[in-house]
Amino acid sequence: SVARAGDHIIVATLRSLFVNVDDCLERITAWHQAGICVHVLDFAIDSSSPEGREVLNVLAAVANTFRGERDS
């Protein structure tokens, strides 16, 4: 099945849905633009709100920072 505007994707953890930080940001942005909301249960994140989208962005930025530290 394909998600459409108004649909909600519910996952237990970010890791269960995304391959890496870039994948997370790209998919969340595309789904938001398509009117699809993402709910991440372990962080109680709801991407349908501006606050939820901001929390996702902050978590992705932190993960990206830690990934950069491991790679160097």
Side-chain angles (χ1 to χ4, degrees):
S1 73
V2 176
R4 294 182 285 269
D7 286 350
H8 293 251
I9 297 172
I10 302 169
V11 296
T13 66
L14 284 173
R15 284 189 282 182
S16 63
L17 186 60
F18 306 109
V19 176
N20 56 41
V21 174
D22 294 331
D23 181 46
C24 174
L25 293 175
E26 288 174 15
R27 285 194 200 191
I28 293 290
T29 299
W31 288 332
H32 175 68
Q33 290 172 348
I36 301 164
C37 298
V38 178
H39 303 269
V40 183
L41 300 179
D42 67 342
F43 291 113
I45 298 171
D46 176 357
S47 73
S48 66
S49 71
E51 295 85 2
R53 287 189 299 278
E54 187 62 28
V55 169
L56 279 171
N57 285 330
V58 168
L59 287 173
V62 169
N64 200 30
T65 299
F66 283 117
R67 186 180 66 185
E69 288 176 0
R70 282 185 288 172
D71 293 344
S72 54

